[in-house]
Amino acid sequence: MNASSAMALKTASLAGPLVMLLGMLMFALNDAMGKWLVANYGLGQVILIRSLAALLILVLMVWKAGLGNLLAVERPGMQFARVFFSTAEVFCFYYAVMYLPLADVMTYWLAAPIYVAAASPFLLGEKVGWRRWTAIAVGFVGVIITLEPSSAMFTMPAVISIIGSGAFAFMLISGRFLRGTPDSALVFFQVTGAGLAGLVAAPLDWSPIASSTDLVLLGLLGIVAMAAHMLVNRALKISDAATVAPLQYTLLLWAVIFGWMFFGDVPRFGMLIGAGLIVASGLFIFIREQALKKREKVLPSIPE
C-alpha cells in the first residue's frame, strides 16, 4: 500500500466518527435552542414552526428520492404507531426542558436504548441473557438515582421526561419493524405528524413573535434538527454502527456545557452518578449486541 492509499484509508476511517460527532453537536445545539424558545413561546407554536421549516428541506429530499417511497407504505399501522410515539416524544422533550436542566432531560432520553433492550424479548422476540439483564438493571438504577428519590421525586416535569423517553424507546422499537422504509420517508412522516399536532396545539398558547431574530431561530430549530439527522445517517453509511453509535453519548457532554453556558445550570451530583450508570449500561448493551451478531454470523445457532 502506497502513502497516498494509506492516507485515503485513514481519512475514510476518521470521516464517520467526525461526522457523527458533528451530528451530536447539532442535536445538542437544537436542544439548547429549543429550551430557550419554549421559555418564550408556546410549546405547540415552537413545534409547528420547527416542523414547517424542516418540511421545506424534506420535501426536496422526498422529491429527489421519488414520491413512490411515500406512496408504497409498508405496514401502515406500524407507521402510524411510530408517528404517534415520535410526536409524543418531541412534545414531552420540549415540555421537560422548560422546567429541567438540559443535562437532566438528556440523561433520561439516553436511557431509551436500555428500555429497548428490556422490551425486546417481549415485543421483538429477541433473546436477552443474564449479562444484558444485569446491564438493564444497572441502567434502571441510574434512572432512579437521576430522579433523586424523595417526596418530590415524581414532579410533573420528571414524569413527563420518563414518559417521553419511553415514547422515544417505542419509536425506536417500531422503527425496527420498518427497516424496508427509506429514511427520508420515515423522517417525513415523523415531522409531518409533529407538525399536525403542533397545528392543533399552537392556537392554545400562541405568543406574538417578538422579533425577526426569534423568527429566524424558530425556523433554524427545524433546519438544525434536519441537518443533525442527515449527519447521523451519513455517519452510519460511511462507518459501521459499532464505530459511531457509542458517540451518541457525547450528547450528554454537550448538554452539560450548553446548560452551563446558556442557562447557568450546574450538574447535580446525583445526575452525574445516574448518567454515568446509564451511559455504562447503554454501552455494555450495545457492545454485547454487536459481539453476539458477529458470533451468530459464524455460528447462527449459538446460544447467548
Side-chain angles (χ1 to χ4, degrees):
M1 181 182 293
N2 57 38
S4 60
S5 298
M7 181 61 70
L9 183 61
K10 183 178 180 180
T11 301
S13 65
L14 290 175
L18 289 175
V19 172
M20 186 70 169
L21 287 171
L22 180 58
M24 293 300 102
L25 172 60
M26 295 293 280
F27 270 124
L29 181 61
N30 171 80
D31 296 339
M33 291 169 58
K35 180 176 174 62
W36 186 85
L37 288 167
V38 293
N40 298 279
Y41 298 100
L43 180 59
Q45 177 182 6
V46 170
I47 292 175
L48 173 62
I49 298 175
R50 172 186 185 268
S51 301
L52 290 175
L55 282 172
L56 292 177
I57 299 175
L58 274 172
V59 166
L60 297 176
M61 292 174 59
V62 171
W63 183 268
K64 183 178 179 180
L67 294 179
N69 291 331
L70 292 181
L71 299 178
V73 177
E74 62 167 342
R75 308 184 73 163
M78 190 60 66
Q79 296 280 3
F80 178 82
R82 186 178 184 279
V83 170
F84 174 81
F85 287 123
S86 66
T87 301
E89 177 265 331
V90 74
F91 269 84
C92 287
F93 181 87
Y94 285 116
Y95 176 88
V97 295
M98 278 195 286
Y99 302 100
L100 298 175
L102 195 59
D104 287 43
V105 179
M106 195 60 66
T107 298
Y108 294 127
W109 255 254
L110 287 176
I114 299 170
Y115 304 156
V116 172
S120 60
F122 311 102
L123 299 179
L124 301 174
E126 298 179 357
K127 294 182 179 180
V128 175
W130 68 269
R131 295 178 182 85
R132 277 187 286 172
W133 277 120
T134 301
I136 290 167
V138 170
F140 279 117
V141 170
V143 172
I144 293 172
I145 292 175
T146 304
L147 281 168
E148 288 189 341
S150 66
S151 58
M153 173 178 170
F154 290 108
T155 61
M156 184 57 68
V159 171
I160 293 297
S161 292
I162 296 298
I163 293 173
S165 61
F168 181 51
F170 279 107
M171 185 190 85
L172 296 177
I173 291 172
S174 60
R176 293 193 182 185
F177 290 98
L178 302 170
R179 298 181 190 274
T181 303
D183 291 340
S184 58
L186 286 175
V187 178
F188 181 84
F189 295 141
Q190 178 179 332
V191 173
T192 300
L196 291 174
L199 183 63
V200 173
L204 302 177
D205 56 0
W206 187 276
S207 298
I209 299 176
S211 66
S212 57
T213 301
D214 285 3
L215 181 60
V216 170
L217 288 175
L218 285 163
L220 277 177
L221 192 64
I223 295 172
V224 170
M226 281 305 307
H229 278 293
M230 288 188 284
L231 286 167
V232 171
N233 288 338
R234 182 60 180 168
L236 290 169
K237 288 180 180 179
I238 59 181
S239 293
D240 59 277
T243 300
V244 298
L247 297 176
Q248 67 178 310
Y249 292 105
T250 58
L251 267 174
L252 187 57
L253 174 63
W254 287 117
V256 171
I257 293 173
F258 288 160
W260 173 71
M261 287 177 58
F262 301 134
F263 308 106
D265 295 330
V266 178
R268 297 175 292 108
F269 179 73
M271 188 282 293
L272 293 175
I273 296 298
L277 291 175
I278 290 170
V279 171
S281 173
L283 284 173
F284 179 86
I285 291 169
F286 176 79
I287 293 170
R288 181 65 181 167
E289 288 175 348
Q290 294 299 309
L292 290 172
K293 286 179 182 178
K294 290 181 180 179
R295 289 167 62 185
E296 288 170 358
K297 288 181 180 179
V298 179
L299 298 170
S301 61
I302 192 168
E304 184 178 358

